[in-house]
Amino acid sequence: MVRLLLFCTFLIALALQGRSAPAPAIKLQLGKGTPVSVWRQGEMAEIRISGGSADAAPPRHDVDLSLRDFDDNEVWSFRGKAEDLPLDLPEPKRFGPYTLSGTIPGNGGKTESFQRHLAYVPRAASGDHGSMQYGIVLLNLPIPLVKPGALACRLAGADFIRSSMSWKEAEAAPGRWDWSYYDDYFGALRSRGLRWVPILWHAPPWGLDKTHRSTLKPESGVCRMPFPDRRLWADFILRALERYGKELRTVEVWNEPDLPYFADFTPEEYAELLKDVRRAIEAKHLPIRITTCGFTCLPGQHPKMIFKDYMPRALKAAAGAYDCHSIHFHGGFTDYKESLNRFIRLRQEWGIAVPWAANETAVSASFCGRKRQAAILFEKMVYSQAKGAEAYVWHNLRDLGKDPKNAEHNYGLMDNDYEPKEAYSAYAATVHLFRGAEPIRDLSRGECICLVFRRGKEILIPVWTFSGKSREREVVFSGIQGKAYFADLYGNRRDLAVRSGTLRLPVSKVPGTLLLEQEEAPELVEVHLAPPQETVIRLAADPKLTGAPCIHLEKRESYHATAPADPSFADCVWRGAGDCSAKLWMGMNGGILRVRAEIRDDVHTPPCTPEVPSGDKVQFFFAPQRGTPLFKFSLVLDREGKAQMQCKESPARKNTDALRRKCRVSITRDDRAHLTNYELRIPAAELGIRQGVPFRFNAVIFDDDGRVQEGYHALVPVSGGPTSGGTGLPQFVFSERKDPQK
């Protein structure tokens, strides 16, 4: 017994020893102190080491600190003793994301490494703002997390916050109302000068319409939001307006009901919910505007939509009940541009005259990486403003988790620990630069975006190229009357040379803004390619395709996500070469062109035919030279294990059956090795390809793991479709010399 007591005492002592001395940590004191790592222009910053419950004097150990900017330049460093802290951190010379890293003393004299991300941003303008409004989605987190979130939104320059006001949470049981969370939530926003746009939705289980007929289909998946009892729904709306109505300017009715995940009712039934809110607002004599839900996509774009025409039907049925038409178009810029322009045309066809807003749109860093996420934010925000949006809302402030392979975890402007990402700095800079700017002209040409805004006595022109393989352009402006500057993605300006009223500006995929000290817009003289850097890839004849692969598609740079931005597809992201990758061989002998693709794919999902826009498939594009027809071959292994091929020519040829009959296709699948081999044999003369003459080629490898086509690998992305003649496709040539290995 004594031994047992001694042993237990020993264990308790060890546990207490482990808990008694928390490891020291770096503490940033920015300005007057902030729980988020956002450093505003003109504020002081201090570094100290905190240890335990109070900032005690740390041990006499070495400290190594380094502050690096977004170009990985070291802008400040300190190497000395921990007892020399706290230290003043000098204010950076450039706005943008920074990384503070180094080593500090840990428990027991051990050295520990650390890294902190922070953003240095311009001061956000205070007060009420007219013209376009900027918002951020700040989800309904616990109040201790809402408070720093509200501060971070304000420091970024946001005007308002969009988030849920859930009936289910306000009245968990019939007649048992509890508004305490929303009181605290709204209070946190008000304390930071932020307005609130609540989403009115989400009936409790007891508040559903028991007589409602479901619209769901077996393939629709799970619905979280059935149709509410409208009498009880109206009571919820009236009570919410009684409590918060005098302080609200806008309310949103439901969220994404065109997706079965969020609604199990028809467009016309959704319109009735809008009308119920309109009647309640009028009964209370409140000057509150109503925005529609954010519709997720255009008619028929989402694979799980039950009603393909949900948007136009709902808008027509609810005419007069809403003041703003909102959309949620997530993803990259190219798709956003195409969808938005079509959306604007369809609004005219449908006769929708109320203003519109992009009240939830973003892109997950899981799809494109953090730096590209920041660039896409800028592109989508200024393009929306140029096309007349009355508001733009990024989804969302904070990453929902830490899994890089979960798309829903990586939409935030800040990471899960409230450390700002590159997108946060881009948001703050874009709002600061374009607040109050009015669009006056669109000078875009081809793949070069060039938009003209006027802000007071200044002209702003955001410019960039958007094709996946865009080479650098040079745009030439005339009519320059004063000084000219170029602002980068984070708002840092540099002087530009103007000669005789003319300005030549190199433009690339990294967006930026030309600023001119004048009121008159300049003229765009020309947009032209910089000297081409194109190379021709030489191929040996290699008729047996036994040499090294000529193409590798195994990295994120060649992968393009296509899965819808939908919580039910959050895990549908590329997970590395084992998920989907490709090696390709090409050879020619006796006038026969052979192409073989070895695809590593953990899950093979066969479509029925090559025409089906789902399942795994491979596409090969050939064009002998610019201006000649572009041939597309689609290869699939169907559900019966048979190889199928489709052949098309652009511009469309009346009959490709003869060419298809001359081709030979072989496809085999090894499930154990997770490999699929596709081989295509074509008479080279039919394509106009011969040895010694360059031709253009593209390979596209689609990946579908069973639920949706997640994305594809490609030499050149196919968004919008490759152009006739193979413009932009890489060049290959079969050597006229004999293959030494033959």
Side-chain angles (χ1 to χ4, degrees):
M1 179 66 70
V2 174
R3 289 182 179 177
L4 179 61
L5 289 173
L6 289 174
F7 181 68
C8 292
T9 303
F10 174 70
L11 290 178
I12 293 172
L14 281 179
L16 291 174
Q17 182 180 6
R19 293 170 53 191
S20 61
I26 282 290
K27 182 178 181 181
L28 280 174
Q29 187 83 3
L30 300 171
K32 297 179 181 179
T34 169
V36 292
S37 300
V38 181
W39 188 356
R40 291 192 298 180
Q41 183 182 19
E43 292 185 340
M44 299 295 294
E46 183 183 79
I47 299 178
R48 61 175 64 235
I49 293 181
S50 63
S53 59
D55 290 356
R60 295 176 60 86
H61 285 285
D62 292 335
V63 171
D64 190 341
L65 306 175
S66 175
L67 182 68
R68 308 187 80 86
D69 66 13
F70 51 88
D71 287 328
D72 202 31
N73 299 314
E74 186 175 73
V75 297
W76 176 85
S77 64
F78 170 79
R79 293 166 181 81
K81 298 294 182 182
E83 63 184 5
D84 295 330
L85 272 63
L87 291 171
D88 289 334
L89 192 63
E91 193 169 355
K93 295 182 180 179
R94 297 198 297 170
F95 299 120
Y98 285 81
T99 303
L100 180 67
S101 61
T103 57
I104 58 175
N107 282 328
K110 295 181 180 179
T111 298
E112 294 186 1
S113 299
F114 78 94
Q115 186 178 77
R116 290 277 299 274
H117 297 287
L118 62 149
Y120 177 60
V121 299
R123 279 187 171 273
S126 59
D128 203 358
H129 307 294
S131 64
M132 176 154 162
Q133 301 287 290
Y134 304 95
I136 297 174
V137 173
L138 178 60
L139 298 180
N140 299 82
L141 304 165
I143 296 302
L145 291 177
V146 171
K147 292 179 178 179
L151 173 61
C153 291
R154 190 69 195 93
L155 295 177
D159 298 300
F160 67 93
I161 297 302
R162 174 182 176 267
S163 65
S164 292
M165 182 186 285
S166 169
W167 173 16
K168 180 180 178 181
E169 299 301 325
E171 191 184 11
R176 190 188 303 166
W177 293 93
D178 182 0
W179 298 98
S180 58
Y181 175 82
Y182 294 114
D183 289 345
D184 293 342
Y185 184 95
F186 202 3
L189 303 189
R190 282 193 300 254
S191 69
R192 297 300 179 183
L194 293 164
R195 301 194 310 275
W196 186 23
V197 176
I199 308 166
L200 307 173
W201 70 328
H202 204 179
W206 55 266
L208 303 179
D209 184 343
K210 304 300 188 297
T211 65
H212 182 259
R213 187 173 181 178
S214 174
T215 63
L216 294 181
K217 298 178 182 179
E219 67 272 17
S220 302
V222 178
C223 173
R224 300 174 60 227
M225 316 286 178
F227 193 65
D229 181 304
R230 288 181 56 203
R231 181 183 61 82
L232 299 174
W233 160 258
D235 181 53
F236 159 64
I237 298 301
L238 285 170
R239 289 176 180 270
L241 293 176
E242 287 172 359
R243 195 169 192 91
Y244 305 109
K246 293 181 180 179
E247 298 182 80
L248 298 176
R249 288 193 192 177
T250 304
V251 295
E252 181 178 350
V253 182
W254 221 265
N255 176 68
E256 301 182 354
D258 50 346
L259 293 186
Y261 185 77
F262 289 120
D264 178 15
F265 40 83
T266 68
E268 289 74 21
E269 288 170 330
Y270 168 66
E272 293 304 314
L273 301 183
L274 272 168
K275 293 175 184 177
D276 291 339
V277 177
R278 171 62 73 195
R279 282 190 285 269
I281 289 174
E282 291 176 349
K284 293 291 182 180
H285 305 289
L286 294 169
I288 297 177
R289 301 173 76 245
I290 297 176
T291 180
T292 68
C293 67
F295 294 99
T296 58
C297 54
L298 296 175
Q301 283 187 327
H302 195 288
K304 287 193 176 183
M305 290 180 74
I306 296 173
F307 303 97
K308 305 302 182 185
D309 54 353
Y310 201 106
M311 189 192 302
R313 282 174 56 180
L315 293 171
K316 180 180 179 181
Y322 54 90
D323 306 291
C324 180
H325 176 191
S326 291
I327 53 170
H328 294 182
F329 293 171
H330 291 279
F333 173 74
T334 304
D335 291 336
Y336 184 77
K337 171 181 174 290
E338 294 173 0
S339 294
L340 190 58
N341 288 336
R342 184 182 164 207
F343 164 77
I344 292 171
R345 291 194 300 270
L346 287 174
R347 275 171 46 89
Q348 294 176 339
E349 293 177 14
W350 299 335
I352 307 301
V354 300
W356 68 274
N359 80 337
E360 179 189 312
T361 181
V363 65
S364 173
S366 294
F367 296 144
C368 59
R370 290 172 45 140
K371 290 184 177 180
R372 183 60 192 146
Q373 181 189 42
I376 291 172
L377 179 149
F378 174 93
E379 294 165 358
K380 294 176 74 170
M381 185 181 287
V382 299
Y383 197 79
S384 299
Q385 189 163 345
K387 297 302 177 180
E390 72 166 21
Y392 184 93
V393 183
W394 186 264
H395 172 79
N396 50 30
L397 174 70
R398 174 176 175 262
D399 282 349
L400 298 184
K402 299 184 179 183
D403 181 359
K405 301 304 182 184
N406 185 311
E408 288 294 316
H409 283 200
N410 295 277
Y411 279 98
L413 299 176
M414 311 183 90
D415 67 21
N416 189 253
D417 295 320
Y418 269 137
E419 291 190 11
K421 295 156 65 177
E422 290 82 348
Y424 183 94
S425 293
Y427 183 98
T430 307
V431 171
H432 185 264
L433 191 58
F434 285 89
R435 184 180 297 286
E438 297 295 332
I440 58 175
R441 193 178 302 171
D442 185 346
L443 298 178
S444 302
R445 295 186 187 176
E447 297 174 353
C448 184
I449 299 296
C450 185
L451 310 167
V452 184
F453 294 81
R454 180 183 290 115
R455 187 185 63 181
K457 297 183 178 181
E458 190 174 40
I459 294 293
L460 290 75
I461 306 178
V463 289
W464 70 93
T465 59
F466 66 85
S467 172
K469 290 291 184 181
S470 289
R471 288 170 286 167
E472 187 175 81
R473 265 78 170 158
E474 184 179 64
V475 293
V476 183
F477 294 97
S478 64
I480 309 299
Q481 303 167 10
K483 292 183 178 179
Y485 310 91
F486 186 77
D488 67 14
L489 185 60
Y490 304 122
N492 301 296
R493 301 189 182 194
R494 58 179 172 85
D495 294 342
L496 297 175
V498 178
R499 294 181 174 85
S500 302
T502 300
L503 173 68
R504 308 182 76 90
L505 179 66
V507 184
S508 69
K509 279 193 67 177
V510 181
T513 305
L514 172 64
L515 298 103
L516 305 174
E517 292 184 348
Q518 60 189 62
E519 296 184 50
E520 296 298 322
E523 293 295 327
L524 179 62
V525 179
E526 58 181 324
V527 178
H528 60 82
L529 287 169
Q533 303 292 320
E534 193 171 19
T535 59
V536 178
I537 301 172
R538 295 196 170 275
L539 302 168
D542 192 14
K544 295 184 179 180
L545 306 184
T546 55
C550 61
I551 297 171
H552 293 263
L553 298 173
E554 302 172 319
K555 298 182 179 180
R556 171 186 268 178
E557 289 74 19
S558 67
Y559 189 82
H560 307 273
T562 57
D566 180 332
S568 61
F569 297 125
D571 59 328
C572 295
V573 299
W574 185 62
R575 298 173 178 271
D579 182 12
C580 179
S581 57
K583 298 177 182 178
L584 282 84
W585 292 259
M586 279 196 287
M588 190 159 66
N589 186 45
I592 300 299
L593 170 64
R594 293 178 62 188
V595 186
R596 181 165 71 87
E598 181 185 271
I599 312 302
R600 181 171 297 280
D601 185 4
D602 58 341
V603 178
H604 181 71
T605 304
C608 298
T609 67
E611 294 87 350
V612 174
S614 63
D616 293 317
K617 69 177 67 176
V618 169
Q619 292 180 341
F620 298 131
F621 297 84
F622 297 92
Q625 54 188 320
R626 291 179 185 271
T628 57
L630 177 70
F631 294 90
K632 180 176 80 170
F633 297 87
S634 297
L635 283 66
V636 303
L637 186 65
D638 68 18
R639 294 176 183 177
E640 296 179 356
K642 296 180 180 179
Q644 293 198 37
M645 183 197 73
Q646 180 192 65
C647 173
K648 289 187 177 181
E649 181 183 339
S650 178
R653 189 163 65 176
K654 291 184 179 179
N655 190 353
T656 56
D657 290 343
L659 173 59
R660 185 169 55 84
R661 285 195 294 267
K662 295 178 182 179
C663 299
R664 295 292 179 267
V665 178
S666 171
I667 307 176
T668 59
R669 170 68 180 177
D670 184 341
D671 282 321
R672 181 172 295 181
H674 296 165
L675 294 176
T676 311
N677 275 281
Y678 297 77
E679 185 171 333
L680 175 63
R681 301 187 183 198
I682 318 167
E686 292 289 330
L687 305 182
I689 295 176
R690 61 184 188 272
Q691 287 183 310
V693 179
F695 64 95
R696 296 181 179 271
F697 173 77
N698 192 22
V700 184
I701 316 300
F702 289 97
D703 183 34
D704 186 329
D705 284 352
R707 289 163 55 208
V708 69
Q709 206 166 69
E710 300 178 3
Y712 63 88
H713 279 288
L715 289 169
V716 176
V718 296
S719 179
T723 57
S724 175
T727 302
L729 303 187
Q731 290 196 83
F732 294 80
V733 63
F734 285 108
S735 174
E736 291 185 292
R737 297 180 306 226
K738 290 185 177 180
D739 183 359
Q741 296 181 358
K742 183 179 176 182

